[in-house]
Amino acid sequence: DTEVTQTPKHLVMGMTNKKSLKCEQHMGHRAMYWYKQKAKKPPELMFVYSYEKLSINESVPSRFSPECPNSSLLNLHLHALQPEDSALYLCASSPRGTSGRVDTGELFFGEGSRLTVL
Amino acid sequence: AQKITQTQPGMFVQEKEAVTLDCTYDTSDQSYGLFWYKQPSSGEMIFLIYQGSYDEQNATEGRYSLNFQKARKSANLVISASQLGDSAMYFCAMREPRNPRPWGYQKVTFGIGTKLQVIP
């Protein structure tokens, strides 16, 4: 079982809707990520949060609004999306590298939220 | 900028045989890390194996081994004794040098992937 939980697993929304994707981890990781993956493409980084602060925004359109309310939760708020935003949205977290294990920077992924915009 | 190249869009392997998935990379950094992830049709990205740029020995994790040739900038994944459950997309990925602590995050770039199908 994955230790990063994403909800919902599937979401269908219209272009005028407002919805949110949620990601939760209880591994004590202080870096959390949102990736977008289109069909038959690799994941592309959208946002990185470190210690609940936005550290990287890869020039993502403002219709995607991330939020990190605490060290375990990461949200992605969606508003006025376009059909081309339909994709698998993957959340990931990574440890700080002080737990004694080899500091690989490994990303721990959730199962993703599959979004369809009509 | 970092770049990952996977030149095999699809591969077939007979069950119980070994298979090698190719990955080459390009970076000007001295410190970096290389990963392989597996993505079944369910969507989850599953970590398989990691190789640090300063690791002198090839990484191994069970049936997975990473053939790291630093001078050639290649990091091929070898899966031994293929199983039907190995059918999936496989992504090679590279992380940039880790940001100074306490921040601890890093950017990971993925290749386009190789679809592996194991034939009974």
Side-chain angles (χ1 to χ4, degrees):
Chain A
D1 288 341
T2 181
E3 295 179 86
V4 177
T5 303
Q6 289 188 244
T7 55
K9 287 188 168 32
H10 299 274
L11 177 63
V12 179
M13 61 185 292
M15 289 189 286
T16 59
N17 292 156
K18 284 186 180 181
K19 297 286 185 183
S20 296
L21 306 180
K22 179 181 173 181
C23 174
E24 193 167 2
Q25 58 89 14
H26 295 286
M27 295 179 283
H29 295 171
R30 302 308 294 271
M32 296 186 74
Y33 309 74
W34 279 116
Y35 279 84
K36 174 182 178 179
Q37 186 178 22
K38 300 281 282 183
K40 301 186 189 303
K41 298 288 187 182
E44 294 180 348
L45 182 65
M46 299 175 72
F47 303 104
V48 180
Y49 273 83
S50 179
Y51 286 78
E52 296 89 68
K53 294 192 187 313
L54 183 63
S55 299
I56 295 177
N57 176 344
E58 292 286 55
S59 302
V60 178
S62 60
R63 57 185 184 268
F64 295 92
S65 176
E67 178 196 21
C68 190
N70 61 55
S71 60
S72 300
L73 279 175
L74 184 66
N75 298 320
L76 186 63
H77 303 298
L78 315 170
H79 174 54
L81 295 192
Q82 304 296 311
E84 58 264 29
D85 296 321
S86 298
L88 180 68
Y89 289 83
L90 291 161
C91 174
S93 67
S94 64
R96 197 163 54 115
T98 60
S99 63
R101 59 172 286 171
V102 173
D103 183 8
T104 70
E106 172 191 344
L107 294 175
F108 292 73
F109 282 91
E111 292 184 348
S113 293
R114 201 167 294 274
L115 173 68
T116 302
V117 182
L118 301 176
Chain B
Q2 298 186 324
K3 185 177 179 182
I4 294 282
T5 302
Q6 294 180 257
T7 57
Q8 304 157 313
M11 291 281 287
F12 290 90
V13 64
Q14 204 75 36
E15 193 178 7
K16 301 180 184 177
E17 298 291 315
V19 63
T20 298
L21 306 183
D22 295 340
C23 173
T24 58
Y25 61 92
D26 190 21
T27 181
S28 57
D29 296 315
Q30 296 301 309
S31 174
Y32 52 89
L34 296 156
F35 303 89
W36 277 92
Y37 282 86
K38 170 185 177 182
Q39 188 177 41
S41 56
S42 59
E44 182 187 0
M45 297 285 283
I46 302 168
F47 167 78
L48 296 178
I49 198 165
Y50 168 82
Q51 180 85 39
S53 58
Y54 294 118
D55 296 337
E56 294 186 351
Q57 290 195 332
N58 287 341
T60 60
E61 291 281 354
R63 295 187 298 112
Y64 305 107
S65 60
L66 197 152
N67 184 0
F68 182 47
Q69 298 188 41
K70 193 171 182 178
R72 297 179 60 184
K73 294 189 175 179
S74 74
N76 298 339
L77 176 70
V78 180
I79 305 175
S80 63
S82 296
Q83 302 171 356
L84 295 178
D86 293 335
S87 295
M89 281 292 289
Y90 288 80
F91 291 98
C92 181
M94 178 165 60
R95 67 162 175 81
E96 296 178 352
R98 205 161 175 74
N99 280 278
R101 293 181 181 147
W103 309 118
Y105 65 86
Q106 74 283 306
K107 290 182 69 171
V108 174
T109 303
F110 290 83
I112 62 172
T114 295
K115 184 172 183 178
L116 177 67
Q117 295 186 62
V118 181
I119 304 166

